[in-house]
Structure formats: C-alpha cells, structure tokens
Amino acid sequence: MRSYLTTPIYYVNGPPHLGHAFTCVAADILARQRRRLGIETWFSTGCDEHGQKNAQAAAAMGLDPQAYLDVRSAEFRALFDRLHVRHDVFVRTSSPTHVARVQEAVTRLHRKGLLHRKGYEGYYCAGCEQFKTPSDLSADGHCRDHPNLVAAPVREDNYFLVIEPYRAAILERLRSDPDFIRPQSFRAELLGLLQEPLEDLCISRPARRVPLGVRLPFDAGYVVYVWFDALLNYLGNVNWPEDGHEAWWAGAEHIIGKDILKTHGVYWPAMLLALGEPLPKALLVHSHWTGEGGLKMSKSLGNVVDPNAIIDALGADSLRWFFARHMRAEADSAISVEMIRQSHAAELANKLGNLHSRLLKFTHATLEGRVPPRGDLTLTDQALRAMVLAAARSWAAPMNLEDIPARTAAVLDAVQHLNRYVTDAAPWSLAKSPATKARCDTVVHVALDALRLVFEALWPVIPASAERALASLGAVEETAAWLPQLDRLRGGAPLGAFPILFPRTG
Ligand code: MSP
C-alpha cells in the first residue's frame, strides 16, 4: 500500500508562522518514518495563493499580486527547507498546471449539470474565506476565529454545487470506518456537522470583486472559490486526472488543523463524490499551539513564536523536537520561546547531548577512539538493552499524528535509563584497573550501541542531529528498510569526528 501524506496549503497573506512550521514538521516526521520502513510515500505541501486575503495583502504592500505571491511563497519554501522538511511536491495554486486541473474539475461538474447559478445574499468573512450565516456571527458581525474582522454583507449571483445528496454517503463512511478521522474526538464533531441538511456550496466569486483566482472556463465573469480551488490540490498533486493517480489517491491522508475540519470533512468529500472520485483514506487532525496561558498568539500580546528566529537561535532540530515531544493532537498546547529553550536545554542538551558527549569523549580519550569489544552481558546490561530496543521498535510500528509525542517520550525515557546506566557503571573508574578493564569495555560497547539505536529511532524527529551523531558513532549506513536491532556496532570499529550536537545557549 502506498502512503500519500498532505498538509494544508498555506495562505500567503503574511510570512510563514509557527502553525505552518508545525504542520509541515509533523507531516515530515510521518513521511520519514514511513519511507525508511520501505513504504512508498508521497508528501505534498504548498501555498494557497488565491482569494481575497492574499489580494488584500499584495495591495497593502503596493505589489503586483503575482510578484507578491512569488516573494511570499519563496519564504514558505525557505522555511520548510531550513526545517529539513522533505516534501515531494510544493504546489502553488497560481501555477499553470494547478490552474488547468481546477478548470478541468469545474468543467466536469458543469458538464454533469451539477452547477447552478443563483442569487446569494449573506456575509463574507475574509479571514475564513467563507460565507457566514447570521447564526455564525456575533451580534456585531464578527466570526469566532476572526474577532478583528467584520464579516461584510454580500449580494451577488454565483455558481453553486448542491451537496446535500452526498451527506448520507459521508455519514456512512464516518460510521463504518473508525479510522477515517483521527483522533476519535474529532469524529464526534464531524458527525455533529453532518446532522443537519447541507446548504448548497458556493463554488464561484465574481471576478470583478475577487480578481485573484482561477477563471471559470464556462463563464469568464467568475473565478473559482478559493477553497474549492485549494482543496483540489490534493488530487492534482498525484497527477489527477491522469492515469496512475489512483494508487496514490487510495493512500491519501490529509493532515489538518482542527480549524479546517468542516472544509475537509464536509465540503471536500462532497466535492469528490460529485466528481465521482473516491474519498481519501483518512483525515489526521491536530489541535493548535497557543501562546502561554492558552492565549492566542498575537503581535499585540507579544507572545508570537517566530520559527525562523528559533532556528537561528537553537537550530531546526530543537524546534522539531519541541513539536514532536510536546504536541497534543486532541487538545491545544502552549508554546513560547522560553518553553522551547527549556526543552532544548533540559531534554536535548542535558540528556541526549550530554550522554553522547560523555561517552564519545571518554572513548576517544581512554579507548583509542574505537568501539571496545564486548564481553558477557550482566542482567543489568540486558535489561537496559531490552528497554532501549522496545522504545526504538515503537518507531517501526504503524504510526499516526497522535502517536508522535508518546513515542518520542519513550525514547527520551530510554535515554534517561542509559544515562543512569553509564553513571552507575562508571566506566571511567573501571578503566583504571586491569582487573576491570574488560567490564569497562563491555559497558561502553553496550552504551554506544544503545545510543546508536536511540539516534536511529529519533532520526525522523531530529534528522540532521541524528545523522551527525550516527556518523560520530561510526554506525554503518543501512540501505535496506530500517529494522531496529541491537549489536550493529562492531568491536574495534573507529568512531568518527566528535560534534557538539545541541550546544548550550545563554
Ligand atoms: N489555505 C487554507 C488551507 C487550504 S488546504 C486545501 C488555510 N491556510 S492557513 O494558512 O490558514 O493554514 C492553516 C493550517 O495551518 C491549519 O490547519 C494548521 O494545520 C496550521 N496552523 C495554523 N495555526 C496554527 C496553530 N496556532 N497551531 C497549529 N497549527 C496551526 O487554512
């Protein structure tokens, strides 16, 4: 079975922020974990470049829209590169290939007679890029997610897709397939959204009001509604409508924030059913990062965490690590620069980095920089090895978003045991007497090999540091699918250069 992982494609009305960094890193962890087990994996991300708010942002900077989109999307790409996010596709909805696919999709729906033109009256929240009913808004016209914007009254003709006929099929999928949406708590929310009849989905915007978009091929006075346009990237990124996309599409899992559950759990399945395409394999939903104390991050509160600034100060892996270790799929989690600094210092520098540097320094100084030979194992050695192997093995089992923090924590736990093992066994004392030198060799061998396994397990989370650490341990690069195993360091093998993995800062 192939695996196709997608992230949302991000609005480019501002520079990339922490939430965008997180979703891409989470997807990258899953993609790396799957690829190295030998699962064929395709990973797409990109930028959502149409619609009102992108147009407004370009105008505010006095730039031609396309020039603005080029600059901004390059910023997103650059951030993901800095974070070592290895996507296979970076889609831009302004690209001619994407535009052609969207036009193909609307043409098909039009030919099937599924699109109707009619008058519409309502309110539009440019923040959500969605029409709102009065019941969605507060008394003074604000939507829940954008309290600083007033939803504007709009009255215009548009094209609509009738989606109520698909509600039963979506409900049926939700009920019959417990894995369609994870974690389970979001299933109830989606079931709730599907209890009432669905209003027709407005799929167009008049081009004179919203010029930034894909023209409707059958009515040049309109562009395609930005969400309709953006959702289609998921099919397009595996080459729909061309042959061969089906095998990838069957393995499609959409990673999304809880803010976009309705568009992905109601509108997207309805669009697919209207097009005659199968539903994706799953929706993997995550909650949000908030500022300290659960407050929304905002410039005025001064609690915004800028991913680029964190990478400058601590390195990409420290941010990736924080995400993996401290995320929660089901509930919001707080994040702050201070919390990331603390996690870098306490978890990475003091535990993992310290263990690595203690062992390496000692081996270089006392054991000629070679993996020492291994003698008989004591019960303590065996227990330690079993614990590290179990933590590493969890990274070879099928894995989803919600599994990331616990599996990361399990390896960190193993690191703590390993630290204690080395401290208790005190190889530096054992090395002093010829009578205990063999035991010293065994302890160091066991510890180096366990540390190798730790870094192999953590590679999807902290790839750059893990690769440097593995090189320093003289670990042999495996070419076949990863299998967590003990005893992969050969006695007598030389260790590599000795990097400081997680420098202590300030
Ligand atoms: N363009 C639409 C998505 C179209 S997908 C066909 C959009 N873009 S967005 O720029 O607003 O990004 C939304 C996604 O960014 C969220 O679903 C979530 O994955 C991520 N995050 C944005 N803010 C976030 C947090 N504060 N915390 C975690 N992730 C968040 O919606």
Side-chain angles (χ1 to χ4, degrees):
M1 174 66 157
R2 292 174 172 185
S3 167
Y4 170 34
L5 288 163
T6 71
T7 75
I9 52 172
Y10 310 108
Y11 290 129
V12 292
N13 59 322
H17 62 62
L18 186 96
H20 304 138
F22 167 68
T23 310
C24 266
V25 166
D28 187 58
I29 292 173
L30 294 184
R32 283 174 184 268
Q33 190 260 355
R34 291 176 189 189
R35 274 191 215 118
R36 71 151 165 192
L37 296 176
I39 299 169
E40 267 193 281
T41 303
W42 193 247
F43 168 11
S44 80
T45 187
C47 290
D48 188 350
E49 301 187 332
H50 291 143
Q52 257 171 262
K53 62 176 170 188
N54 291 328
Q56 284 162 359
M61 286 179 73
L63 284 175
D64 156 68
Q66 194 59 47
Y68 172 83
L69 298 175
D70 290 348
V71 171
R72 275 283 188 244
S73 66
E75 287 175 12
F76 279 77
R77 248 194 126 104
L79 172 64
F80 302 150
D81 284 350
R82 292 192 79 194
L83 283 167
H84 308 297
V85 169
R86 276 210 223 144
H87 44 73
D88 298 293
V89 180
F90 186 95
V91 69
R92 295 183 56 190
T93 56
S94 66
S95 72
T97 14
H98 174 80
V99 168
R101 286 171 184 144
V102 172
Q103 290 184 323
E104 173 66 25
V106 283
T107 302
R108 286 185 184 199
L109 295 179
H110 185 60
R111 285 210 191 110
K112 284 185 174 190
L114 292 174
L115 301 180
H116 310 278
R117 194 174 155 160
K118 63 178 184 184
Y120 183 86
E121 220 172 301
Y123 294 87
Y124 193 72
C125 172
C128 300
E129 294 278 16
Q130 279 175 40
F131 280 122
K132 301 279 165 180
T133 58
S135 64
D136 295 329
L137 303 172
S138 65
D140 51 358
H142 302 288
C143 99
R144 188 169 41 91
D145 290 337
H146 300 96
N148 52 343
L149 297 175
V150 178
V154 169
R155 198 174 172 182
E156 61 196 23
D157 259 22
N158 268 313
Y159 287 89
F160 287 81
L161 174 69
V162 181
I163 58 174
E164 169 59 13
Y166 308 115
R167 186 162 64 98
I170 306 170
L171 273 170
E172 171 51 27
R173 174 66 185 271
L174 256 179
R175 292 199 176 114
S176 64
D177 177 359
D179 288 335
F180 181 63
I181 178 163
R182 305 158 75 116
Q184 287 298 321
S185 49
F186 291 106
R187 189 162 175 234
E189 194 177 331
L190 191 50
L191 280 170
L193 290 173
L194 289 161
Q195 286 319 299
E196 301 292 323
L198 298 174
E199 281 186 27
D200 300 349
L201 178 65
C202 180
I203 69 116
S204 69
R205 296 290 182 268
R208 65 184 144 66
R209 184 167 70 79
V210 186
L212 199 55
V214 178
R215 290 281 160 151
L216 277 190
F218 47 87
D219 189 339
Y222 288 89
V223 298
V224 176
Y225 169 44
V226 62
W227 265 104
F228 194 92
D229 160 358
L231 285 161
L232 285 164
N233 93 87
Y234 297 138
L235 271 181
N237 294 341
V238 287
N239 259 345
W240 179 91
E242 272 142 56
D243 286 349
H245 73 273
E246 299 84 353
W248 283 113
W249 182 246
E253 292 172 88
H254 300 312
I255 296 175
I256 55 167
K258 63 179 187 180
D259 52 323
I260 52 176
L261 184 61
K262 187 172 184 183
T263 46
H264 285 76
V266 179
Y267 299 153
W268 179 227
M271 285 167 60
L272 286 164
L273 291 167
L275 282 165
E277 300 292 341
L279 300 190
K281 183 177 164 198
L283 300 178
L284 309 180
V285 190
H286 62 79
S287 295
H288 285 174
W289 294 102
T290 62
E292 252 172 320
L295 299 171
K296 203 178 158 109
M297 276 182 251
S298 79
K299 285 201 187 105
S300 52
L301 288 175
N303 61 354
V304 173
V305 181
D306 171 9
N308 274 305
I310 298 288
I311 301 171
D312 292 341
L314 303 172
D317 280 349
S318 296
L319 184 56
R320 291 178 65 109
W321 171 268
F322 187 88
F323 285 152
R325 170 72 184 82
H326 299 283
M327 69 166 273
R328 285 185 297 172
E330 303 206 21
D332 290 353
S333 314
I335 192 166
S336 69
V337 174
E338 193 42 40
M339 291 165 89
I340 304 170
R341 275 190 187 284
Q342 268 175 25
S343 138
H344 168 94
E347 293 160 356
L348 290 179
N350 291 351
K351 291 195 179 117
L352 193 51
N354 182 39
L355 173 62
H356 172 261
S357 77
R358 274 206 297 169
L359 272 175
L360 269 265
K361 255 186 212 157
F362 177 70
T363 312
H364 275 289
T366 318
L367 304 175
E368 294 157 16
R370 289 178 186 278
V371 179
R374 199 197 88 188
D376 291 341
L377 297 173
T378 65
L379 286 179
T380 317
D381 301 340
Q382 284 168 7
L384 185 267
R385 280 157 51 96
M387 147 127 219
V388 174
L389 185 59
R393 276 200 177 139
S394 72
W395 282 86
M399 177 159 169
N400 264 313
L401 264 190
E402 72 250 50
D403 304 316
I404 295 176
R407 292 190 194 181
T408 307
V411 183
L412 187 63
D413 225 35
V415 169
Q416 266 181 285
H417 278 80
L418 191 47
N419 252 320
R420 213 167 303 135
Y421 167 85
V422 173
T423 304
D424 291 350
W428 34 91
S429 304
L430 298 171
K432 286 179 188 147
S433 145
T436 49
K437 171 69 172 53
R439 178 65 194 144
C440 165
D441 285 351
T442 298
V443 166
V444 173
H445 185 111
V446 165
L448 287 173
D449 188 52
L451 191 57
R452 170 203 51 86
L453 195 48
V454 159
F455 279 110
E456 282 185 18
L458 290 179
W459 176 80
V461 178
I462 48 169
S465 311
E467 281 166 20
R468 291 165 72 208
L470 288 168
S472 74
L473 291 166
V476 208
E477 265 188 52
E478 308 275 341
T479 43
W482 182 62
L483 201 64
Q485 292 180 85
L486 292 162
D487 295 323
R488 305 294 297 159
L489 289 185
R490 204 172 31 82
L495 298 184
F498 172 24
I500 302 289
L501 297 176
F502 309 106
R504 291 198 173 86
T505 57

